[in-house]
Amino acid sequence: MKKINLEIIDLFYGYRCNLSCKDCNPGSDIIRDTAYDPTLESIFQTIDYFSRYVNVTRTLTLLGGEPMLYWQDTIVPIAKYIRKIMPTTRIAIPTNGKLLHKNIDGIIDFLLEID
């Protein structure tokens, strides 16, 4: 089976955010817990499923709430999994930047590791 090529894929990981921005697209401004977040296992299954049918030719973006609230338990495992399955795909992790100072050295080291 031939895979389709897509430049960009967005992968949703959760809703929680440290801000409350008006008109927040994923609804992170109103959801303060993880009850509606997908499980890590379901995210891995989604990655496995779409990687069978799609070549991500440029970027896989991790989208949701604020990634620094999910960093160690969710973002790091997802990024490592993506890197294992798609070694050349760029991984984008948008953040509002307000929590970067809490573990900046660890964050930079990890980003260099998966680059």
Side-chain angles (χ1 to χ4, degrees):
M1 177 181 73
K2 185 177 179 181
K3 292 184 178 183
I4 60 171
N5 291 325
L6 293 176
E7 280 192 47
I8 300 170
I9 286 191
D10 296 335
L11 180 66
F12 182 80
Y13 59 82
Y15 287 99
R16 290 185 309 135
C17 188
N18 57 318
L19 299 179
S20 184
C21 302
K22 184 179 179 185
D23 299 325
C24 178
N25 192 30
S28 300
D29 58 336
I30 58 171
I31 298 174
R32 296 291 178 209
D33 60 48
T34 59
Y36 298 100
D37 292 352
T39 64
L40 201 53
E41 183 60 35
S42 70
I43 293 169
F44 290 163
Q45 288 173 350
T46 299
I47 294 166
D48 288 340
Y49 183 78
F50 75 69
S51 70
R52 283 185 260 162
Y53 302 101
V54 174
N55 286 320
V56 181
T57 61
R58 195 172 83 194
T59 305
L60 194 149
T61 304
L62 300 181
L63 291 179
E66 172 50 45
M68 296 304 114
L69 295 174
Y70 290 88
W71 188 257
Q72 202 59 45
D73 296 334
T74 304
I75 299 298
V76 168
I78 292 171
K80 285 182 177 182
Y81 198 75
I82 292 166
R83 183 53 65 233
K84 184 175 79 172
I85 303 256
M86 297 173 250
T88 60
T89 298
R90 178 176 171 243
I91 301 170
I93 308 169
T95 176
N96 61 41
K98 298 283 188 186
L99 301 174
L100 285 173
H101 68 283
K102 293 195 178 251
N103 189 19
I104 192 67
D105 293 334
I107 293 165
I108 291 171
D109 290 343
F110 178 72
L111 295 175
L112 290 171
E113 176 188 326
I114 65 166
D115 184 29

